[in-house]
Amino acid sequence: MQYNAPYGSPDPNAPYVDRNTAAGTSGSRVPAAALEHPQREIMAVLAAAGVTGSSDDLTQLLQAIQFLIAAATGGGDTSNFVLMPAARSRIPIFPEVLTADGRIPVTSPSAGQVRVPAGYDFLHRGIFAVTTVQTDFATVANKTYHLRWSPVAGFALKDLADSGYNPTALAETNEAFDSLYDNMLVARVVTNASNVPTITNLVNLNRLEAEVTTAGPGTAAGDNISYSNTFTLNWSRTPKAQVVGSVVFTGTSSVGSGQTIVNQVLVGPKTRYQVTATITADLDRPGTSAYGQLQLFAMR
């Protein structure tokens, strides 16, 4: 419906006024539509909810609205319903990119340019669907950037050397730059002297998990035999990781009776991008070759 101003008023938004005899003011003349249209609108809501109009009950519009909400949501106390803006500010769920690998395939169509492609979906706070539109950013040579998204600013390319973005000059890998509920770290962009970007697209899922096993020959160094591996993750959040390992001796062991081997697994460095781990077997004397195995358990 639309607002129906007092009859005869040239202003379509003119207010209604009461008659004031002392001041010589005539009361507003009410056009028929001003009375009929609101009633028609209300009766349409009642009809959609299957409520029969009655002059004996002045709460029927409220009842009809509650019925329609219940029909759309499956019922329940309407006071418990949360509107989308409130849900987007309250639900503690990280951004989730709805692709097979949880990444938005950001590209560089040419030197000095980074492109967010169109048509990729992700969820904000687990409830609000966002579809990307093509967005291009210009870069400068010899820079490191973070491509981010927020519900307020949309996509933005942030320079790590910008004091506004990184006021305390934190390392690029610092956890302070991880994806947050309302601020998604989409990709790392590093440009070379020719302003050619190298883009690392990051996984954005509400729950990040990985279990990876690797194995290979150990490296002997005196009484120690060690095996190292770097596990690539490229996540949007720094993992909480545990690594377990074992050493299998493949040569002639010089370990005699009562002698022991101590396996020690050292984890580090650990970043959003990778986890490096080393397992070391300490022998009483050299002379043994070995095969090492490491298993990474990571989540966030």
Side-chain angles (χ1 to χ4, degrees):
M1 62 176 288
Q2 66 180 13
Y3 180 72
N4 291 281
Y7 185 78
S9 172
D11 181 0
N13 292 312
Y16 284 83
V17 297
D18 292 329
R19 181 179 64 182
N20 188 331
T21 304
T25 301
S26 299
S28 298
R29 290 181 292 170
V30 181
L35 296 174
E36 181 177 358
H37 290 184
Q39 295 186 72
R40 297 295 185 190
E41 291 273 359
I42 293 171
M43 291 306 300
V45 177
L46 267 61
V51 176
T52 301
S54 171
S55 299
D56 297 327
D57 188 349
L58 301 183
T59 67
Q60 288 186 299
L61 177 59
L62 174 62
Q63 294 174 35
I65 292 172
Q66 291 176 328
F67 178 85
L68 292 172
I69 292 174
T73 60
D77 182 1
T78 56
S79 65
N80 292 324
F81 296 156
V82 179
L83 297 178
M84 183 63 74
R88 291 181 70 185
S89 67
R90 297 178 187 175
I91 302 177
I93 296 179
F94 287 103
E96 179 127 356
V97 175
L98 303 179
T99 59
D101 62 359
R103 295 177 172 94
I104 297 174
V106 178
T107 62
S108 175
S110 61
Q113 190 176 34
V114 171
R115 174 169 294 171
V116 178
Y120 288 87
D121 299 325
F122 61 91
L123 291 178
H124 174 232
R125 293 274 185 162
I127 193 171
F128 187 82
V130 180
T131 301
T132 62
V133 297
Q134 182 175 309
T135 308
D136 292 334
F137 297 96
T139 61
V140 176
N142 297 317
K143 287 284 189 178
T144 299
Y145 299 93
H146 284 161
L147 179 64
R148 310 194 73 97
W149 177 90
S150 71
V152 175
F155 286 97
L157 194 62
K158 301 291 188 178
D159 183 353
L160 263 292
D162 181 356
S163 60
Y165 177 62
N166 189 9
T168 56
L170 296 174
E172 187 277 325
T173 54
N174 194 283
E175 292 187 30
F177 298 117
D178 285 2
S179 279
L180 304 174
Y181 298 140
D182 298 317
N183 198 317
M184 177 168 60
L185 178 60
V186 179
R188 177 184 63 187
V189 178
V190 180
T191 58
N192 62 14
S194 299
N195 200 13
V196 175
T198 297
I199 300 172
T200 304
N201 292 314
L202 304 179
V203 180
N204 274 281
L205 297 171
N206 178 53
R207 186 175 179 85
L208 297 168
E209 295 179 298
E211 181 178 335
V212 186
T213 300
T214 183
T219 300
D223 288 349
N224 295 330
I225 292 179
S226 64
Y227 170 69
S228 296
N229 189 71
T230 297
F231 302 89
T232 299
L233 295 176
N234 289 334
W235 286 0
S236 59
R237 307 194 300 278
T238 304
K240 295 181 179 179
Q242 178 182 4
V243 180
V244 296
S246 61
V247 173
V248 177
F249 295 97
T250 57
T252 301
S253 174
S254 63
V255 179
S257 175
Q259 296 173 319
T260 60
I261 301 169
V262 178
N263 288 340
Q264 182 181 27
V265 180
L266 301 177
V267 179
K270 180 184 69 173
T271 69
R272 289 183 292 273
Y273 309 104
Q274 61 189 31
V275 175
T276 299
T278 301
I279 183 170
T280 300
D282 297 325
L283 309 181
D284 283 346
R285 57 184 182 271
T288 301
S289 60
Y291 197 78
Q293 177 174 291
L294 292 170
Q295 187 172 19
L296 168 71
F297 301 91
M299 65 178 297
R300 190 60 192 271

